Amino acid sequence: MSILIAGCGFIGRPAGVALAGRGHEVFALSRDRRKADDFARDGLRLVRHDLLDPDASDPIPPTRAILYAVGFDRSLGVPMRTIYVDALLRFLDRLPETVERFVYASSTSVYGADCGEWVDEATPARPNSENGAIVLEAEEAVRSWAERRGVRAVVIRFAGLYGPGRVIGAAALRAGKPIESDPDGPLNLIHRDDAAAVAAAAIEHRDPAPIYCACDNRPILRREYYETAARHLDAPTPTFAPPGGESTRRKISNRAMVRDLLRELVHPDITTGLPASIAEE
């Protein structure tokens, strides 16, 4: 199968490498031509495309599947909605008629649940933050486009992503700064390797569901996360301060994800995921 990865970063690149390793033809979007050789070593073919400047882009190849895993890069200096909605809509308009499946990497921020309740794919998406509302708008744009084009769309709502180079709170822990968070609130996470495996599986699955919640096997208290991270970072025992904004208290179920896409996680929880991430750094 020919597959295009838009957002060949934290999730997209390892997903693309896995798919290429299983014999698929995988293209990777980047605005930097200098990445061609680097991608080639991973079995990926560069397509130069700047999502923020589509006039300065190569044509999109006639692929059958798209993995869209574009995150918000603050260094670009543009609003989140410009990347998540405006750039997405332009990209969708440029896709060839050959596309049969579109996998969109979304976020559990679309859920506004804050009373400690369990959340799954059937839970109504009612975001209680501006960022969550923008993510939900992007999801709806994908669904609307897919319905018009007769494309199978799969939305994966990822919990908090962590892994090598992205250990949440590492800088504050090493500096001994108080963590602005409710230590007794639940935290939902998924390691990069499992997130990438889920994304790749959604591309390959014969009959995927339209929505999946992607997280590891158990929500943990924030206190457990930060104490575990501090121990493996050789950092001081964490202290906590009241959060500056709203603190979510939802617990995400991964039942459908495990049933359809990833029966066994590499890192079922932070017990192995955190030390592996820190060691790889």
Side-chain angles (χ1 to χ4, degrees):
M1 185 193 305
S2 57
I3 302 161
L4 178 70
I5 311 290
C8 206
F10 197 64
I11 298 176
R13 184 156 186 172
V17 170
L19 290 164
R22 294 200 282 271
H24 299 288
E25 182 183 28
V26 181
F27 298 87
L29 258 63
S30 175
R31 58 181 174 275
D32 189 350
R33 289 191 185 278
R34 293 171 296 179
K35 291 185 177 180
D37 291 342
D38 190 28
F39 283 150
R41 284 190 288 270
D42 284 340
L44 313 178
R45 297 175 59 184
L46 173 72
V47 175
R48 198 180 82 76
H49 186 98
D50 187 343
L51 290 168
L52 297 177
D53 184 14
D55 292 333
S57 302
D58 292 340
I60 295 174
T63 55
R64 288 178 55 197
I66 307 289
L67 170 58
Y68 194 91
V70 176
F72 180 43
D73 185 352
R74 289 178 174 81
S75 68
L76 295 176
V78 296
M80 180 176 176
R81 193 180 186 282
T82 299
I83 296 175
Y84 268 71
V85 179
D86 299 340
L88 170 64
L89 289 171
R90 286 196 300 269
F91 177 75
L92 291 171
D93 284 343
R94 295 197 66 204
L95 290 181
E97 295 293 331
T98 55
V99 174
E100 300 170 355
R101 180 167 302 185
F102 192 100
V103 175
Y104 181 73
S106 185
S107 164
T108 55
S109 64
V110 299
Y111 298 113
D114 59 3
C115 298
E117 63 264 48
W118 281 95
V119 166
D120 64 15
E121 293 79 7
T123 304
R126 297 188 180 116
N128 56 5
S129 68
E130 181 181 2
N131 287 358
I134 291 171
V135 173
L136 183 58
E137 186 179 354
E139 281 190 16
E140 291 169 347
V142 169
R143 278 191 285 268
S144 177
W145 169 85
E147 184 176 348
R148 292 195 308 271
R149 289 275 297 267
V151 172
R152 171 71 70 93
V154 182
V155 170
I156 307 175
R157 293 170 174 167
F158 287 101
L161 296 165
Y162 76 103
R166 193 183 289 193
V167 176
I168 300 165
L173 288 168
R174 287 186 171 117
K177 295 180 179 179
I179 304 298
E180 295 185 3
S181 179
D182 174 8
D184 297 315
L187 183 62
N188 304 274
L189 299 170
I190 185 167
H191 188 276
R192 175 204 63 188
D193 294 350
D194 292 312
V198 167
I203 290 285
E204 294 181 308
H205 195 283
R206 183 172 299 176
D207 187 26
I211 299 174
Y212 289 101
C213 293
C215 61
D216 64 20
N217 286 351
R218 67 178 180 102
I220 56 173
L221 296 182
R222 290 182 172 90
R223 184 189 306 279
E224 179 185 354
Y225 171 82
Y226 286 108
E227 288 178 351
T228 302
R231 187 165 63 251
H232 288 285
L233 289 165
D234 294 324
T237 300
T239 58
F240 296 89
E246 294 182 354
S247 181
T248 59
R249 301 182 64 85
R250 56 183 172 258
K251 293 180 287 189
I252 307 296
S253 168
N254 71 359
R255 185 176 302 175
M257 180 198 85
V258 171
R259 179 195 67 211
D260 292 353
L261 303 179
L262 192 64
R263 291 183 181 275
E264 293 188 12
L265 282 72
V266 177
H267 298 294
D269 60 28
I270 64 166
T271 306
T272 61
L274 268 178
S277 301
I278 293 166
E280 191 170 337
E281 286 186 358

